[in-house]
Amino acid sequence: MALAAISFGAIAKTPVYLDRTAPIEARVEDALSRMTLEEKVRLCHAQAKFSSHGVPRLGIPEIWMSDGPHGVRGEVNWNDWGYARWTNDSVTAFPALTALAATWNPEMSAIYGKNVGEEARFREKDVLLGPGVNIYRTPLNGRNFEYMGEDPYLAGEMVVPYIKELQKNGVAACVKHFALNNQEKWRSSVDVSLSDRALYEIYLPAFKKAVVDGGAWSIMGAYNRIWGQHCCHNERLLTDILRDEWGFDGCVITDWGGAHDTREAALNGLDIEMGSYTNGLTSESEFTFDDYFLARPYLAMIQKGEVSDSTVNAKARNVLRLIFRTAMDTEKPFGSLASKEHYDAAKQIGDESIVLLKNNGILPLDPAKHKNILVVGENATRMLNQGGGSSELKAKDIYSPLDALRKTFGKGVRYAAGYKTGRSLYESEEIIPQPILDSLRREAVEMAKTADVVIYIGGLNKNGFQDCESSDRREYNLPWGQDRIIEELVAANPNLVVANISGNAYAMPWLDKVPAVIQSWYLGTMIGPSMADVISGKVNPSGKLPFSFPKRIEDNGAHSFGEICYPGVEDASKGPRQEYLDDIFVGYRWHDTKKIPALFPFGHGLSYTKFNYGKPTASAKQIKDGETLTIEIPITNTGDKEGKEIVQLYISDEKSSLPRPVKELKGFKKLTLAPGQTQNASFTVTVDDLKFFDDKAHEWVAEPGKFKVLIGASSTDIKATVPFSYSK
Ligand code: BGC
């Protein structure tokens, strides 16, 4: 046949859904119009542990997800939890989100989101499963280290830049766990009830900011139940609040195995069902994702007319929108992995996160003067990126505190473990025999006697029942006999610096005897250099606590009303249930209102320099609707080192028709000041900052009357008060 006779036909026009210049909604509608019912249903459930379906016939790719939130998790097998043993999936371990919150610096959040986003992009992920903004309600929650502390304002301000920068890489944030997953005990079944005030004032605001201000493209439903219904298909949470009140246009993804009912999942706003096992939670029966609630059973319900196909159209739209924003964004960058820039970012965030809790002057330790240093404690060498559950990371490098201290203070730095803990087991702990623990303790105490300074690096770790997913801590005190070790060390050598690593508060019965205490966090790859630089003074500490350290667990609100409040009580027919009787009084709101001093209050953190708070000025004495109040306060570095101070602004309502906390955080500024330098911290107070949630009227209300602006270096160290009034 002659070539000229071949007919190629007219070249088809690019369909709208493939035209990246077309508006995204037009692309979504076009794609939807070309899909069969079966194809739409397939978009709504997993095809592998970390992937959900696309539409291969139309060239619409599948979605690839990864934990999250502290780095990109190692590749996991298609349908079991074993690691796939790839050799190209080692990453930067970034500091835990608790550490990020402790920086009180939204710039650090932006840096975090950008850098972790580049890694996710390079690893070809479309969705990063994080960040988490569940509120720190009890220090026993095994997962607090993955969240951003006890205050909704702080968590909300910190989560937004993370999301925005992450998503610039064409990688969706999946904000988790929506909502009220504030403990791991009974996490998949506990039924939480709480007042609307606590819901709106404490537990939702950070999620709302993530969605409305951060523009998160996806959100993960929590495992637990609220008002009797699982969060992953909770009508009030997902339909009324997330979609209707906040206008969320992204994708709702279950936590793994978080769906429990096809009808509810169909009707109540869930889009993608992911899972651990085919029956949702417990055991692996056979390899069939088709058995998921939103797979064959859903298709059958639609075909029988038991639920309308408008439900699947709505879900498919949300999934397609997510795919267009991520996997099908042809202009997204390429990303990068474990680069020097990423290590520098991790170091910078870590540096700014470490909190100097107490210092009688022993710190910083000058490397020129201190050669005979003993380091004690397992966390000086332990790989803390391992364990902890889904946030575990396969880090390319971890620079340990011991190595970094030897680099800073010389090879002569000696080491004694002092105690030992077992392997990282998910839901249990390997117990080390007491005689071994006794001999390790004695060895460390003996060595301490001849040291110039002892640096103790203990705390918690990522074992089950510590800072670890799927179980809560069993005690508030430090585990593995650490209180005794610290007591004996300081008796043997008064020059003891305690530099603990944890994602949670703990008791410090030895506090009065110890001259200096540093709170460090799970800082990932650069944990050692950040800690060594703070200890040596190369970095001036500038973190402040994102949660209170109660003296005793009984001093925490959630632990003040018996088991019904935490961890809940088991009801033979209905499963465990829980009432948040602490209500809106979470963290410092509880300590303040009940006049129970914390061991270290929310917002506390010292520096190697000193800051003076001057006299504040206010733009007016009164604020009316639509107006703002500008408050300025000069802060001076009166010491001889450059330092950073976090200036906090709280609002106190003098009288209100409903009970309110004594004060609430409504602003913060982190200033960098050279010795002798003065800068103004400037804040804008709006009428919204004066509001509480009126549950009867279901609206935020500011009541005319007298208020105060309190400016402090912590929630209890109030340096200045500015009275003002509000009238409509
Ligand atoms: C966790 C999620 C995580 C998911 C996937 C669940 O057990 O609660 O936070 O993203 O597993 O690993």
Side-chain angles (χ1 to χ4, degrees), residues 132-190:
V133 285
N134 294 92
I135 289 293
Y136 187 113
R137 176 172 181 257
T138 155
L140 300 191
N141 178 11
R143 261 187 123 168
N144 279 335
F145 71 99
E146 289 187 62
Y147 306 136
M148 302 217 218
E150 72 185 26
D151 184 76
Y153 180 81
L154 176 64
E157 290 300 295
M158 295 301 287
V159 77
V160 169
Y162 180 120
I163 294 170
K164 285 189 168 162
E165 289 300 318
L166 166 71
Q167 292 190 165
K168 284 184 186 161
N169 291 285
V171 176
C174 185
V175 185
K176 63 194 193 184
H177 306 90
F178 190 60
L180 299 156
N181 182 181
N182 303 308
Q183 67 188 49
E184 289 300 286
K185 171 110 180 161
W186 292 324
R187 68 170 174 173
S188 56
S189 54
V190 70

Coordinates of all heavy atoms in Angstrom, one line a residue, residues 132-190:
G132 N 0.3 16.7 61.9 CA -0.7 16.4 62.9 C -0.9 17.6 63.8 O 0.1 18.2 64.3
V133 N -2.2 17.9 64.1 CA -2.4 19.0 65.0 C -3.4 18.6 66.1 O -4.2 19.5 66.5 CB -2.9 20.3 64.2 CG1 -1.8 20.9 63.5 CG2 -4.0 19.9 63.3
N134 N -3.4 17.4 66.5 CA -4.2 17.0 67.6 C -3.7 17.7 68.9 O -2.5 17.8 69.0 CB -4.3 15.5 67.8 CG -5.0 14.8 66.6 OD1 -4.3 14.4 65.7 ND2 -6.3 14.8 66.7
I135 N -4.6 18.1 69.7 CA -4.2 18.9 70.9 C -3.6 18.1 72.0 O -4.1 17.0 72.3 CB -5.4 19.8 71.4 CG1 -5.7 20.9 70.3 CG2 -5.1 20.4 72.7 CD1 -4.6 22.0 70.2
Y136 N -2.5 18.6 72.6 CA -1.9 17.9 73.7 C -2.8 18.0 74.9 O -2.8 19.1 75.5 CB -0.5 18.6 73.9 CG 0.4 18.0 74.9 CD1 1.6 17.4 74.5 CD2 0.1 18.0 76.3 CE1 2.5 16.9 75.4 CE2 1.0 17.4 77.2 CZ 2.2 16.9 76.7 OH 3.1 16.4 77.6
R137 N -3.5 16.9 75.2 CA -4.4 17.0 76.3 C -3.9 16.4 77.6 O -4.2 16.8 78.7 CB -5.7 16.3 75.8 CG -6.8 16.2 76.9 CD -8.1 15.7 76.3 NE -9.1 15.7 77.3 CZ -9.5 14.5 77.9 NH1 -9.0 13.4 77.6 NH2 -10.4 14.6 78.9
T138 N -3.2 15.3 77.4 CA -2.6 14.6 78.5 C -1.1 14.2 78.2 O -0.9 13.8 77.1 CB -3.3 13.3 78.9 OG1 -2.4 12.4 79.6 CG2 -3.9 12.6 77.8
P139 N -0.2 14.3 79.2 CA 1.2 13.9 78.9 C 1.4 12.4 78.7 O 2.4 12.0 78.3 CB 2.0 14.4 80.1 CG 1.0 15.2 80.9 CD -0.4 14.9 80.5
L140 N 0.3 11.7 78.9 CA 0.4 10.2 78.7 C 0.2 9.8 77.2 O 0.4 8.7 76.9 CB -0.5 9.5 79.6 CG -0.3 9.7 81.1 CD1 -1.1 8.7 82.0 CD2 1.2 9.6 81.5
N141 N -0.4 10.7 76.4 CA -0.6 10.3 75.0 C 0.7 9.9 74.3 O 1.6 10.8 74.2 CB -1.3 11.5 74.3 CG -1.6 11.2 72.8 OD1 -1.4 10.0 72.4 ND2 -1.9 12.2 72.1
G142 N 0.7 8.7 73.9 CA 1.9 8.2 73.2 C 2.3 8.9 71.9 O 3.4 8.8 71.5
R143 N 1.4 9.7 71.4 CA 1.7 10.3 70.1 C 1.8 11.8 70.2 O 1.9 12.5 69.1 CB 0.5 10.0 69.1 CG 0.9 8.9 68.2 CD -0.1 8.7 67.1 NE 0.5 8.8 65.8 CZ -0.1 8.4 64.7 NH1 -1.3 8.0 64.7 NH2 0.6 8.5 63.6
N144 N 1.9 12.4 71.3 CA 2.1 13.8 71.4 C 3.3 14.3 70.6 O 3.3 15.5 70.2 CB 2.2 14.3 72.9 CG 0.9 14.4 73.6 OD1 -0.2 14.6 73.0 ND2 0.9 14.2 74.9
F145 N 4.3 13.5 70.5 CA 5.5 14.0 69.8 C 5.3 14.4 68.4 O 6.0 15.1 67.8 CB 6.7 13.0 69.9 CG 6.5 11.7 69.1 CD1 7.1 11.6 67.9 CD2 5.7 10.7 69.6 CE1 6.9 10.5 67.1 CE2 5.5 9.5 68.8 CZ 6.1 9.4 67.6
E146 N 4.2 13.8 67.8 CA 3.9 14.1 66.4 C 3.0 15.3 66.2 O 2.6 15.7 65.1 CB 3.1 12.9 65.8 CG 3.9 11.7 65.6 CD 3.2 10.6 64.8 OE1 2.8 10.9 63.7 OE2 2.9 9.6 65.4
Y147 N 2.6 16.0 67.3 CA 1.7 17.1 67.3 C 2.4 18.4 67.7 O 3.5 18.4 68.0 CB 0.4 16.8 68.1 CG -0.2 15.5 67.7 CD1 -0.7 14.6 68.7 CD2 -0.4 15.1 66.4 CE1 -1.3 13.4 68.4 CE2 -1.0 13.9 66.1 CZ -1.5 13.1 67.1 OH -2.1 11.9 66.7
M148 N 1.6 19.5 67.8 CA 2.2 20.8 68.0 C 1.7 21.5 69.3 O 1.6 22.7 69.4 CB 1.8 21.7 66.8 CG 2.4 21.1 65.5 SD 3.0 22.3 64.4 CE 2.4 21.7 62.9
G149 N 1.5 20.7 70.3 CA 1.4 21.2 71.7 C -0.1 21.4 72.1 O -1.0 21.0 71.4
E150 N -0.2 22.1 73.2 CA -1.5 22.2 73.9 C -2.4 23.4 73.5 O -3.5 23.5 73.9 CB -1.3 22.2 75.4 CG -0.8 23.5 75.9 CD -0.5 23.5 77.4 OE1 -0.2 22.4 78.0 OE2 -0.5 24.6 78.0
D151 N -1.8 24.3 72.7 CA -2.6 25.5 72.5 C -3.0 25.6 71.0 O -2.2 25.6 70.1 CB -1.7 26.8 72.8 CG -2.5 28.0 72.6 OD1 -3.3 28.3 73.5 OD2 -2.4 28.7 71.6
P152 N -4.3 25.8 70.8 CA -4.9 25.8 69.4 C -4.3 27.0 68.6 O -4.1 26.8 67.4 CB -6.4 26.0 69.6 CG -6.6 26.3 71.1 CD -5.4 25.9 71.8
Y153 N -4.0 28.1 69.2 CA -3.5 29.3 68.5 C -2.1 29.0 68.0 O -1.8 29.1 66.8 CB -3.6 30.5 69.3 CG -3.0 31.7 68.6 CD1 -3.8 32.4 67.7 CD2 -1.7 32.2 68.7 CE1 -3.3 33.5 67.0 CE2 -1.2 33.2 68.0 CZ -2.0 33.9 67.1 OH -1.5 35.0 66.4
L154 N -1.3 28.5 68.9 CA 0.1 28.2 68.5 C 0.1 27.1 67.4 O 0.8 27.3 66.4 CB 0.9 27.7 69.7 CG 2.4 27.2 69.5 CD1 3.2 28.4 69.0 CD2 3.0 26.6 70.7
A155 N -0.6 26.0 67.6 CA -0.6 24.9 66.6 C -1.1 25.5 65.3 O -0.6 25.1 64.2 CB -1.5 23.8 67.1
G156 N -2.2 26.3 65.3 CA -2.7 26.8 64.1 C -1.8 27.7 63.3 O -1.6 27.6 62.1
E157 N -1.1 28.6 64.1 CA -0.1 29.5 63.4 C 1.1 28.7 62.8 O 1.6 29.1 61.8 CB 0.4 30.5 64.4 CG -0.6 31.5 64.9 CD -1.1 32.4 63.7 OE1 -0.4 33.1 63.1 OE2 -2.4 32.3 63.4
M158 N 1.4 27.6 63.5 CA 2.6 26.9 63.0 C 2.3 25.9 61.9 O 3.2 25.6 61.1 CB 3.2 26.1 64.2 CG 3.8 27.0 65.3 SD 5.1 28.1 64.8 CE 6.4 27.0 64.6
V159 N 1.0 25.5 61.8 CA 0.8 24.5 60.8 C 0.6 25.1 59.4 O 0.9 24.4 58.4 CB -0.5 23.6 61.1 CG1 -1.8 24.4 60.9 CG2 -0.5 22.3 60.4
V160 N 0.2 26.3 59.3 CA -0.2 26.9 58.0 C 1.1 27.0 57.1 O 1.0 26.6 55.9 CB -0.9 28.3 58.2 CG1 -1.0 29.0 56.9 CG2 -2.3 28.0 58.8
P161 N 2.2 27.6 57.5 CA 3.3 27.7 56.6 C 3.9 26.4 56.2 O 4.3 26.2 55.0 CB 4.4 28.5 57.4 CG 3.7 29.1 58.6 CD 2.5 28.2 58.8
Y162 N 3.8 25.4 57.0 CA 4.3 24.0 56.7 C 3.5 23.5 55.5 O 4.0 23.1 54.5 CB 4.0 23.1 57.9 CG 4.4 21.6 57.8 CD1 5.4 21.1 58.6 CD2 3.8 20.8 56.9 CE1 5.7 19.7 58.6 CE2 4.1 19.5 56.8 CZ 5.1 18.9 57.6 OH 5.4 17.6 57.5
I163 N 2.1 23.7 55.6 CA 1.3 23.2 54.5 C 1.5 23.9 53.2 O 1.7 23.3 52.1 CB -0.2 23.3 54.9 CG1 -0.5 22.4 56.1 CG2 -1.1 23.0 53.7 CD1 -1.9 22.6 56.7
K164 N 1.6 25.2 53.3 CA 1.7 26.0 52.1 C 3.0 25.7 51.3 O 3.0 25.5 50.1 CB 1.7 27.5 52.4 CG 0.3 28.0 52.8 CD 0.4 29.5 52.9 CE -1.0 30.1 52.9 NZ -1.0 31.5 53.4
E165 N 4.1 25.6 52.1 CA 5.4 25.3 51.4 C 5.5 23.9 50.9 O 6.0 23.6 49.9 CB 6.5 25.6 52.4 CG 6.7 27.1 52.7 CD 7.0 27.9 51.4 OE1 7.8 27.5 50.6 OE2 6.4 29.0 51.2
L166 N 5.0 23.0 51.7 CA 4.9 21.6 51.3 C 4.2 21.4 50.0 O 4.7 20.8 49.0 CB 4.2 20.7 52.4 CG 3.8 19.3 52.0 CD1 5.0 18.4 51.8 CD2 2.9 18.7 53.0
Q167 N 3.0 22.0 49.9 CA 2.2 21.9 48.7 C 2.8 22.5 47.4 O 2.4 22.2 46.3 CB 0.8 22.3 49.0 CG 0.1 21.3 50.0 CD -1.4 21.5 50.3 OE1 -2.0 20.7 50.8 NE2 -1.9 22.6 49.8
K168 N 3.7 23.5 47.6 CA 4.3 24.1 46.4 C 5.1 23.0 45.6 O 5.5 23.3 44.5 CB 5.3 25.2 46.9 CG 4.5 26.5 47.2 CD 5.5 27.6 47.5 CE 4.7 28.8 48.1 NZ 5.6 29.7 48.8
N169 N 5.4 21.9 46.3 CA 6.1 20.8 45.6 C 5.1 19.9 44.8 O 5.6 18.8 44.3 CB 6.9 20.0 46.6 CG 8.0 20.8 47.2 OD1 9.0 21.0 46.5 ND2 7.9 21.3 48.4
G170 N 3.9 20.2 44.8 CA 2.9 19.3 44.2 C 2.6 18.1 45.0 O 2.2 17.0 44.5
V171 N 2.9 18.2 46.3 CA 2.6 17.2 47.3 C 1.6 17.7 48.2 O 1.7 18.7 48.8 CB 3.9 16.8 48.0 CG1 3.6 15.8 49.1 CG2 5.0 16.4 47.1
A172 N 0.5 16.9 48.4 CA -0.6 17.3 49.3 C -0.2 17.1 50.7 O 0.3 16.0 51.1 CB -1.9 16.6 49.0
A173 N -0.6 18.0 51.6 CA -0.5 17.7 53.0 C -1.8 16.9 53.3 O -2.8 17.0 52.7 CB -0.6 19.0 53.8
C174 N -1.7 16.0 54.3 CA -2.9 15.3 54.8 C -2.9 15.5 56.3 O -2.2 14.8 57.0 CB -2.8 13.8 54.4 SG -4.3 12.9 54.8
V175 N -3.7 16.5 56.6 CA -3.6 17.0 58.0 C -4.3 15.9 58.9 O -5.4 15.4 58.5 CB -4.4 18.3 58.2 CG1 -4.3 18.9 59.6 CG2 -3.8 19.3 57.2
K176 N -3.7 15.5 60.0 CA -4.3 14.4 60.8 C -4.2 14.7 62.2 O -3.5 15.6 62.7 CB -3.5 13.1 60.4 CG -2.1 13.1 60.8 CD -1.4 11.9 60.1 CE -0.1 11.6 60.6 NZ 0.6 10.5 59.9
H177 N -5.0 14.0 63.1 CA -6.0 13.0 62.8 C -7.4 13.7 63.2 O -7.5 14.0 64.4 CB -5.8 11.8 63.6 CG -4.4 11.2 63.4 ND1 -3.4 11.5 64.2 CD2 -4.0 10.3 62.5 CE1 -2.3 10.9 63.8 NE2 -2.6 10.1 62.7
F178 N -8.2 13.9 62.2 CA -9.4 14.7 62.4 C -10.6 13.9 62.9 O -11.1 13.1 62.2 CB -9.8 15.3 61.0 CG -10.9 16.4 61.0 CD1 -10.7 17.5 61.7 CD2 -12.0 16.2 60.3 CE1 -11.7 18.5 61.7 CE2 -13.0 17.2 60.3 CZ -12.8 18.3 61.0
A179 N -10.9 14.0 64.1 CA -10.4 14.9 65.2 C -10.6 14.2 66.5 O -11.1 13.1 66.6 CB -11.3 16.2 65.2
L180 N -10.0 14.8 67.5 CA -10.1 14.3 68.9 C -9.4 13.0 69.1 O -9.8 12.2 70.0 CB -11.6 14.2 69.3 CG -12.3 15.6 69.3 CD1 -13.8 15.5 69.1 CD2 -11.9 16.4 70.5
N181 N -8.4 12.7 68.3 CA -7.5 11.5 68.6 C -6.4 12.0 69.5 O -5.3 12.2 69.1 CB -7.0 11.0 67.2 CG -6.1 9.8 67.3 OD1 -5.6 9.3 66.4 ND2 -5.9 9.3 68.6
N182 N -6.8 12.2 70.8 CA -5.9 12.8 71.7 C -5.3 11.8 72.7 O -4.7 12.2 73.7 CB -6.6 13.9 72.5 CG -7.2 15.0 71.6 OD1 -6.5 15.5 70.7 ND2 -8.5 15.2 71.7
Q183 N -5.5 10.5 72.4 CA -4.8 9.5 73.2 C -4.7 8.3 72.2 O -5.5 8.2 71.3 CB -5.6 9.1 74.4 CG -7.0 8.5 74.1 CD -7.8 8.4 75.4 OE1 -8.0 9.3 76.1 NE2 -8.3 7.2 75.6
E184 N -3.8 7.4 72.6 CA -3.7 6.2 71.8 C -4.4 5.0 72.4 O -4.8 4.1 71.7 CB -2.2 5.8 71.6 CG -1.5 6.8 70.7 CD -2.1 6.8 69.3 OE1 -1.8 5.8 68.5 OE2 -2.8 7.8 68.9
K185 N -4.6 5.0 73.7 CA -5.3 4.0 74.4 C -6.7 3.9 73.8 O -7.4 4.9 73.7 CB -5.4 4.3 75.9 CG -6.3 3.4 76.7 CD -5.6 2.5 77.6 CE -6.6 1.7 78.4 NZ -6.0 0.5 79.0
W186 N -7.1 2.7 73.3 CA -8.4 2.5 72.7 C -8.6 3.4 71.5 O -9.8 3.9 71.2 CB -9.5 2.7 73.7 CG -9.6 1.7 74.8 CD1 -9.3 0.4 74.7 CD2 -10.0 2.0 76.2 NE1 -9.5 -0.2 75.9 CE2 -9.9 0.7 76.8 CE3 -10.4 3.1 76.9 CZ2 -10.2 0.6 78.2 CZ3 -10.7 3.0 78.2 CH2 -10.6 1.8 78.9
R187 N -7.6 3.7 70.8 CA -7.7 4.8 69.8 C -8.8 4.5 68.7 O -9.4 5.3 68.1 CB -6.4 5.1 69.1 CG -5.8 4.0 68.2 CD -4.6 4.6 67.5 NE -4.0 3.5 66.7 CZ -3.0 3.7 65.9 NH1 -2.6 4.9 65.7 NH2 -2.4 2.7 65.3
S188 N -8.9 3.1 68.4 CA -9.8 2.8 67.3 C -11.3 2.8 67.7 O -12.1 2.6 66.8 CB -9.4 1.5 66.6 OG -9.4 0.5 67.5
S189 N -11.5 2.8 69.0 CA -12.9 2.6 69.3 C -13.4 3.6 70.4 O -14.6 3.8 70.5 CB -13.1 1.2 69.9 OG -12.2 1.0 71.0
V190 N -12.6 4.3 71.1 CA -13.1 5.1 72.1 C -14.0 6.2 71.6 O -13.8 6.8 70.6 CB -11.9 5.8 73.0 CG1 -11.2 6.8 72.1 CG2 -12.4 6.4 74.3

